Amino acid sequence: MTRIVILTGAGISAESGLGTFRDEDGLWARHRIEDVATPGGFARDPALVHGFYNARRAQAAAARPNAAHRALARLQARHAGDVVIITQNVDALHEAAGSTGVLHMHGTLAGALCGGCGHRWPAPPEMSIATPCPACGRGPARPDVVWFGEMPYHLERIEAALDRADIFAAIGTSGQVYPAAAYARHAALRGAHTVELNLEPSANTGDFAECRHGRATDLVPAWVAQLLVE
Ligand code: OAD
């Protein structure tokens, strides 16, 4: 039974109305990474950082999964072998579409993390520096997202899945942020067939055996339909 490992990025949620990072008018055209997505930025101006993630949490809560998220959930439900979804996204649209066991390597907007004691709890819709940590009472409370300079989550489980993959697909990701950008090469070296499904060639398009370019809501349902009849 084929084992399928899928990496998703902001491009899969773009047609649900959530902005990507590096496209024209993306989040990083309007905000400086070092201000809102680094531990140093949070230390300098926690209110600014909370405001950025509060806005993203509200947008994500209003978004609905699209045909690409739903196709991946269908693949998980109907494919006889393992289907592991790794996402760099902090929204919950894979889960909303019915996917299970999603590895959120960059954390999730649904979570709060205490920067003092490491306790995790469900994030309220609006967080601020005054949000108390339910465990230690001190904080500072921060979104449970991974910032630049921090270690992504679930790395051991991800590497184990890549080692065993027969098919690896990257969907809607620019291939510019490591370690995720190295996963296609990793899987290929272990013998997987590698597929890129993206609007345009990614920065590491040369690492893929097969590339399909277009919108996720077109490409992903077609790719899943093909896998389910094979
Ligand atoms: P990017 O914004 O870097 O890349 C999004 C990719 O999706 C681009 O290659 C687009 O061409 C493509 N795309 C846009 N719309 C699409 C559509 N409708 N269908 C298919 N593809 C589409 O986002 P990521 O690669 O996810 O990390 O970014 C990786 C990480 O960088 C993020 O998790 C975040 C960011 O900084 C942190 O904040 C730590």
Side-chain angles (χ1 to χ4, degrees), residues 146-169:
V146 175
W147 287 326
F148 286 91
E150 297 182 322
M151 188 71 86
Y153 298 157
H154 312 301
L155 292 184
E156 285 186 13
R157 286 170 68 188
I158 291 170
E159 288 194 8
L162 294 171
D163 286 343
R164 292 194 306 264
D166 299 303
I167 298 173
F168 170 84

PDB file of all heavy atoms in Angstrom, residues 146-169:
ATOM      1  N   VAL A 146       5.071  29.077  15.631  1.00  0.00           N
ATOM      2  CA  VAL A 146       6.536  29.023  15.589  1.00  0.00           C
ATOM      3  C   VAL A 146       7.040  30.263  14.863  1.00  0.00           C
ATOM      4  O   VAL A 146       6.587  30.567  13.753  1.00  0.00           O
ATOM      5  CB  VAL A 146       6.997  27.739  14.869  1.00  0.00           C
ATOM      6  CG1 VAL A 146       8.501  27.722  14.695  1.00  0.00           C
ATOM      7  CG2 VAL A 146       6.524  26.504  15.652  1.00  0.00           C
ATOM      8  N   TRP A 147       7.960  30.973  15.489  1.00  0.00           N
ATOM      9  CA  TRP A 147       8.527  32.173  14.873  1.00  0.00           C
ATOM     10  C   TRP A 147       9.901  31.875  14.273  1.00  0.00           C
ATOM     11  O   TRP A 147      10.530  30.857  14.593  1.00  0.00           O
ATOM     12  CB  TRP A 147       8.645  33.281  15.935  1.00  0.00           C
ATOM     13  CG  TRP A 147       7.317  33.871  16.314  1.00  0.00           C
ATOM     14  CD1 TRP A 147       6.237  34.053  15.496  1.00  0.00           C
ATOM     15  CD2 TRP A 147       6.931  34.347  17.614  1.00  0.00           C
ATOM     16  NE1 TRP A 147       5.214  34.635  16.197  1.00  0.00           N
ATOM     17  CE2 TRP A 147       5.600  34.825  17.488  1.00  0.00           C
ATOM     18  CE3 TRP A 147       7.566  34.430  18.843  1.00  0.00           C
ATOM     19  CZ2 TRP A 147       4.908  35.378  18.558  1.00  0.00           C
ATOM     20  CZ3 TRP A 147       6.869  34.983  19.907  1.00  0.00           C
ATOM     21  CH2 TRP A 147       5.560  35.446  19.774  1.00  0.00           C
ATOM     22  N   PHE A 148      10.359  32.752  13.416  1.00  0.00           N
ATOM     23  CA  PHE A 148      11.700  32.603  12.836  1.00  0.00           C
ATOM     24  C   PHE A 148      12.715  32.585  13.984  1.00  0.00           C
ATOM     25  O   PHE A 148      12.629  33.391  14.911  1.00  0.00           O
ATOM     26  CB  PHE A 148      11.983  33.720  11.835  1.00  0.00           C
ATOM     27  CG  PHE A 148      11.211  33.519  10.552  1.00  0.00           C
ATOM     28  CD1 PHE A 148       9.950  34.065  10.385  1.00  0.00           C
ATOM     29  CD2 PHE A 148      11.715  32.707   9.547  1.00  0.00           C
ATOM     30  CE1 PHE A 148       9.217  33.842   9.222  1.00  0.00           C
ATOM     31  CE2 PHE A 148      11.000  32.471   8.387  1.00  0.00           C
ATOM     32  CZ  PHE A 148       9.749  33.041   8.222  1.00  0.00           C
ATOM     33  N   GLY A 149      13.641  31.635  13.910  1.00  0.00           N
ATOM     34  CA  GLY A 149      14.621  31.469  14.986  1.00  0.00           C
ATOM     35  C   GLY A 149      14.190  30.429  15.999  1.00  0.00           C
ATOM     36  O   GLY A 149      14.959  30.096  16.892  1.00  0.00           O
ATOM     37  N   GLU A 150      12.959  29.896  15.899  1.00  0.00           N
ATOM     38  CA  GLU A 150      12.486  28.856  16.805  1.00  0.00           C
ATOM     39  C   GLU A 150      12.405  27.518  16.063  1.00  0.00           C
ATOM     40  O   GLU A 150      12.340  27.482  14.836  1.00  0.00           O
ATOM     41  CB  GLU A 150      11.111  29.219  17.376  1.00  0.00           C
ATOM     42  CG  GLU A 150      11.161  30.489  18.210  1.00  0.00           C
ATOM     43  CD  GLU A 150       9.819  30.855  18.826  1.00  0.00           C
ATOM     44  OE1 GLU A 150       8.769  30.682  18.168  1.00  0.00           O
ATOM     45  OE2 GLU A 150       9.827  31.327  19.968  1.00  0.00           O
ATOM     46  N   MET A 151      12.379  26.447  16.854  1.00  0.00           N
ATOM     47  CA  MET A 151      12.372  25.098  16.276  1.00  0.00           C
ATOM     48  C   MET A 151      10.941  24.716  15.881  1.00  0.00           C
ATOM     49  O   MET A 151      10.041  24.759  16.718  1.00  0.00           O
ATOM     50  CB  MET A 151      12.881  24.133  17.353  1.00  0.00           C
ATOM     51  CG  MET A 151      13.103  22.738  16.856  1.00  0.00           C
ATOM     52  SD  MET A 151      14.515  22.648  15.769  1.00  0.00           S
ATOM     53  CE  MET A 151      15.804  22.433  16.978  1.00  0.00           C
ATOM     54  N   PRO A 152      10.720  24.345  14.609  1.00  0.00           N
ATOM     55  CA  PRO A 152       9.378  23.867  14.246  1.00  0.00           C
ATOM     56  C   PRO A 152       8.991  22.629  15.064  1.00  0.00           C
ATOM     57  O   PRO A 152       9.847  21.946  15.623  1.00  0.00           O
ATOM     58  CB  PRO A 152       9.510  23.523  12.763  1.00  0.00           C
ATOM     59  CG  PRO A 152      10.650  24.350  12.289  1.00  0.00           C
ATOM     60  CD  PRO A 152      11.610  24.420  13.446  1.00  0.00           C
ATOM     61  N   TYR A 153       7.692  22.348  15.098  1.00  0.00           N
ATOM     62  CA  TYR A 153       7.150  21.240  15.881  1.00  0.00           C
ATOM     63  C   TYR A 153       7.155  19.931  15.068  1.00  0.00           C
ATOM     64  O   TYR A 153       7.147  19.972  13.839  1.00  0.00           O
ATOM     65  CB  TYR A 153       5.706  21.541  16.289  1.00  0.00           C
ATOM     66  CG  TYR A 153       5.535  22.757  17.177  1.00  0.00           C
ATOM     67  CD1 TYR A 153       4.319  23.426  17.230  1.00  0.00           C
ATOM     68  CD2 TYR A 153       6.581  23.237  17.969  1.00  0.00           C
ATOM     69  CE1 TYR A 153       4.137  24.540  18.047  1.00  0.00           C
ATOM     70  CE2 TYR A 153       6.407  24.347  18.791  1.00  0.00           C
ATOM     71  CZ  TYR A 153       5.180  24.998  18.819  1.00  0.00           C
ATOM     72  OH  TYR A 153       5.004  26.087  19.624  1.00  0.00           O
ATOM     73  N   HIS A 154       7.095  18.817  15.782  1.00  0.00           N
ATOM     74  CA  HIS A 154       6.875  17.464  15.208  1.00  0.00           C
ATOM     75  C   HIS A 154       7.982  17.009  14.256  1.00  0.00           C
ATOM     76  O   HIS A 154       7.732  16.180  13.375  1.00  0.00           O
ATOM     77  CB  HIS A 154       5.537  17.400  14.436  1.00  0.00           C
ATOM     78  CG  HIS A 154       4.370  17.954  15.177  1.00  0.00           C
ATOM     79  ND1 HIS A 154       3.962  17.470  16.398  1.00  0.00           N
ATOM     80  CD2 HIS A 154       3.521  18.978  14.875  1.00  0.00           C
ATOM     81  CE1 HIS A 154       2.914  18.166  16.803  1.00  0.00           C
ATOM     82  NE2 HIS A 154       2.636  19.093  15.920  1.00  0.00           N
ATOM     83  N   LEU A 155       9.198  17.526  14.404  1.00  0.00           N
ATOM     84  CA  LEU A 155      10.225  17.223  13.395  1.00  0.00           C
ATOM     85  C   LEU A 155      10.560  15.736  13.323  1.00  0.00           C
ATOM     86  O   LEU A 155      10.789  15.195  12.238  1.00  0.00           O
ATOM     87  CB  LEU A 155      11.490  18.050  13.656  1.00  0.00           C
ATOM     88  CG  LEU A 155      11.321  19.559  13.433  1.00  0.00           C
ATOM     89  CD1 LEU A 155      12.644  20.275  13.611  1.00  0.00           C
ATOM     90  CD2 LEU A 155      10.742  19.862  12.052  1.00  0.00           C
ATOM     91  N   GLU A 156      10.582  15.052  14.480  1.00  0.00           N
ATOM     92  CA  GLU A 156      10.929  13.619  14.433  1.00  0.00           C
ATOM     93  C   GLU A 156       9.864  12.820  13.698  1.00  0.00           C
ATOM     94  O   GLU A 156      10.185  11.947  12.877  1.00  0.00           O
ATOM     95  CB  GLU A 156      11.107  13.068  15.848  1.00  0.00           C
ATOM     96  CG  GLU A 156      12.412  13.517  16.456  1.00  0.00           C
ATOM     97  CD  GLU A 156      12.697  12.883  17.802  1.00  0.00           C
ATOM     98  OE1 GLU A 156      12.010  11.902  18.164  1.00  0.00           O
ATOM     99  OE2 GLU A 156      13.597  13.388  18.484  1.00  0.00           O
ATOM    100  N   ARG A 157       8.602  13.118  13.986  1.00  0.00           N
ATOM    101  CA  ARG A 157       7.524  12.385  13.306  1.00  0.00           C
ATOM    102  C   ARG A 157       7.520  12.704  11.818  1.00  0.00           C
ATOM    103  O   ARG A 157       7.239  11.846  10.981  1.00  0.00           O
ATOM    104  CB  ARG A 157       6.167  12.744  13.927  1.00  0.00           C
ATOM    105  CG  ARG A 157       5.992  12.084  15.289  1.00  0.00           C
ATOM    106  CD  ARG A 157       4.792  12.623  16.008  1.00  0.00           C
ATOM    107  NE  ARG A 157       3.542  12.247  15.361  1.00  0.00           N
ATOM    108  CZ  ARG A 157       2.357  12.732  15.716  1.00  0.00           C
ATOM    109  NH1 ARG A 157       2.276  13.607  16.695  1.00  0.00           N
ATOM    110  NH2 ARG A 157       1.262  12.343  15.102  1.00  0.00           N
ATOM    111  N   ILE A 158       7.821  13.949  11.462  1.00  0.00           N
ATOM    112  CA  ILE A 158       7.856  14.330  10.045  1.00  0.00           C
ATOM    113  C   ILE A 158       8.981  13.580   9.332  1.00  0.00           C
ATOM    114  O   ILE A 158       8.784  13.004   8.261  1.00  0.00           O
ATOM    115  CB  ILE A 158       8.030  15.863   9.906  1.00  0.00           C
ATOM    116  CG1 ILE A 158       6.767  16.572  10.379  1.00  0.00           C
ATOM    117  CG2 ILE A 158       8.375  16.237   8.470  1.00  0.00           C
ATOM    118  CD1 ILE A 158       6.899  18.086  10.511  1.00  0.00           C
ATOM    119  N   GLU A 159      10.154  13.547   9.933  1.00  0.00           N
ATOM    120  CA  GLU A 159      11.274  12.861   9.269  1.00  0.00           C
ATOM    121  C   GLU A 159      10.987  11.382   9.115  1.00  0.00           C
ATOM    122  O   GLU A 159      11.306  10.771   8.092  1.00  0.00           O
ATOM    123  CB  GLU A 159      12.568  13.098  10.045  1.00  0.00           C
ATOM    124  CG  GLU A 159      13.015  14.533   9.856  1.00  0.00           C
ATOM    125  CD  GLU A 159      14.439  14.794  10.296  1.00  0.00           C
ATOM    126  OE1 GLU A 159      15.160  13.831  10.626  1.00  0.00           O
ATOM    127  OE2 GLU A 159      14.810  15.970  10.317  1.00  0.00           O
ATOM    128  N   ALA A 160      10.360  10.782  10.130  1.00  0.00           N
ATOM    129  CA  ALA A 160      10.027   9.349  10.035  1.00  0.00           C
ATOM    130  C   ALA A 160       9.035   9.125   8.890  1.00  0.00           C
ATOM    131  O   ALA A 160       9.151   8.152   8.128  1.00  0.00           O
ATOM    132  CB  ALA A 160       9.445   8.870  11.361  1.00  0.00           C
ATOM    133  N   ALA A 161       8.068  10.011   8.745  1.00  0.00           N
ATOM    134  CA  ALA A 161       7.081   9.874   7.656  1.00  0.00           C
ATOM    135  C   ALA A 161       7.768  10.044   6.298  1.00  0.00           C
ATOM    136  O   ALA A 161       7.496   9.300   5.352  1.00  0.00           O
ATOM    137  CB  ALA A 161       5.967  10.897   7.833  1.00  0.00           C
ATOM    138  N   LEU A 162       8.673  11.022   6.191  1.00  0.00           N
ATOM    139  CA  LEU A 162       9.377  11.243   4.916  1.00  0.00           C
ATOM    140  C   LEU A 162      10.233  10.032   4.546  1.00  0.00           C
ATOM    141  O   LEU A 162      10.317   9.655   3.381  1.00  0.00           O
ATOM    142  CB  LEU A 162      10.273  12.481   5.008  1.00  0.00           C
ATOM    143  CG  LEU A 162       9.563  13.829   5.168  1.00  0.00           C
ATOM    144  CD1 LEU A 162      10.576  14.930   5.467  1.00  0.00           C
ATOM    145  CD2 LEU A 162       8.770  14.176   3.905  1.00  0.00           C
ATOM    146  N   ASP A 163      10.858   9.419   5.551  1.00  0.00           N
ATOM    147  CA  ASP A 163      11.709   8.252   5.293  1.00  0.00           C
ATOM    148  C   ASP A 163      10.920   7.111   4.658  1.00  0.00           C
ATOM    149  O   ASP A 163      11.467   6.328   3.889  1.00  0.00           O
ATOM    150  CB  ASP A 163      12.328   7.741   6.608  1.00  0.00           C
ATOM    151  CG  ASP A 163      13.445   8.650   7.103  1.00  0.00           C
ATOM    152  OD1 ASP A 163      13.942   9.465   6.307  1.00  0.00           O
ATOM    153  OD2 ASP A 163      13.813   8.529   8.284  1.00  0.00           O
ATOM    154  N   ARG A 164       9.636   7.004   5.015  1.00  0.00           N
ATOM    155  CA  ARG A 164       8.823   5.871   4.558  1.00  0.00           C
ATOM    156  C   ARG A 164       7.939   6.219   3.362  1.00  0.00           C
ATOM    157  O   ARG A 164       7.214   5.360   2.873  1.00  0.00           O
ATOM    158  CB  ARG A 164       7.910   5.404   5.696  1.00  0.00           C
ATOM    159  CG  ARG A 164       8.636   4.781   6.866  1.00  0.00           C
ATOM    160  CD  ARG A 164       7.648   4.065   7.762  1.00  0.00           C
ATOM    161  NE  ARG A 164       6.562   4.957   8.181  1.00  0.00           N
ATOM    162  CZ  ARG A 164       6.544   5.616   9.344  1.00  0.00           C
ATOM    163  NH1 ARG A 164       7.524   5.464  10.207  1.00  0.00           N
ATOM    164  NH2 ARG A 164       5.526   6.393   9.649  1.00  0.00           N
ATOM    165  N   ALA A 165       7.975   7.469   2.898  1.00  0.00           N
ATOM    166  CA  ALA A 165       7.008   7.902   1.873  1.00  0.00           C
ATOM    167  C   ALA A 165       7.270   7.238   0.524  1.00  0.00           C
ATOM    168  O   ALA A 165       8.410   7.106   0.086  1.00  0.00           O
ATOM    169  CB  ALA A 165       7.076   9.420   1.713  1.00  0.00           C
ATOM    170  N   ASP A 166       6.189   6.833  -0.144  1.00  0.00           N
ATOM    171  CA  ASP A 166       6.270   6.397  -1.543  1.00  0.00           C
ATOM    172  C   ASP A 166       5.974   7.576  -2.469  1.00  0.00           C
ATOM    173  O   ASP A 166       6.502   7.650  -3.572  1.00  0.00           O
ATOM    174  CB  ASP A 166       5.250   5.285  -1.800  1.00  0.00           C
ATOM    175  CG  ASP A 166       5.506   4.075  -0.934  1.00  0.00           C
ATOM    176  OD1 ASP A 166       6.622   3.533  -1.006  1.00  0.00           O
ATOM    177  OD2 ASP A 166       4.619   3.703  -0.142  1.00  0.00           O
ATOM    178  N   ILE A 167       5.083   8.450  -2.009  1.00  0.00           N
ATOM    179  CA  ILE A 167       4.737   9.660  -2.768  1.00  0.00           C
ATOM    180  C   ILE A 167       4.830  10.848  -1.808  1.00  0.00           C
ATOM    181  O   ILE A 167       4.314  10.782  -0.687  1.00  0.00           O
ATOM    182  CB  ILE A 167       3.302   9.572  -3.338  1.00  0.00           C
ATOM    183  CG1 ILE A 167       3.185   8.402  -4.325  1.00  0.00           C
ATOM    184  CG2 ILE A 167       2.899  10.894  -4.007  1.00  0.00           C
ATOM    185  CD1 ILE A 167       1.755   8.145  -4.817  1.00  0.00           C
ATOM    186  N   PHE A 168       5.511  11.901  -2.246  1.00  0.00           N
ATOM    187  CA  PHE A 168       5.559  13.140  -1.461  1.00  0.00           C
ATOM    188  C   PHE A 168       5.028  14.255  -2.348  1.00  0.00           C
ATOM    189  O   PHE A 168       5.493  14.433  -3.476  1.00  0.00           O
ATOM    190  CB  PHE A 168       6.988  13.475  -1.014  1.00  0.00           C
ATOM    191  CG  PHE A 168       7.100  14.844  -0.411  1.00  0.00           C
ATOM    192  CD1 PHE A 168       6.794  15.054   0.929  1.00  0.00           C
ATOM    193  CD2 PHE A 168       7.485  15.940  -1.184  1.00  0.00           C
ATOM    194  CE1 PHE A 168       6.858  16.325   1.492  1.00  0.00           C
ATOM    195  CE2 PHE A 168       7.569  17.217  -0.630  1.00  0.00           C
ATOM    196  CZ  PHE A 168       7.257  17.404   0.709  1.00  0.00           C
ATOM    197  N   ALA A 169       4.065  15.022  -1.842  1.00  0.00           N
ATOM    198  CA  ALA A 169       3.541  16.165  -2.603  1.00  0.00           C
ATOM    199  C   ALA A 169       3.647  17.434  -1.772  1.00  0.00           C
ATOM    200  O   ALA A 169       3.361  17.424  -0.568  1.00  0.00           O
ATOM    201  CB  ALA A 169       2.080  15.921  -2.986  1.00  0.00           C
TER     202      ALA A 169
END
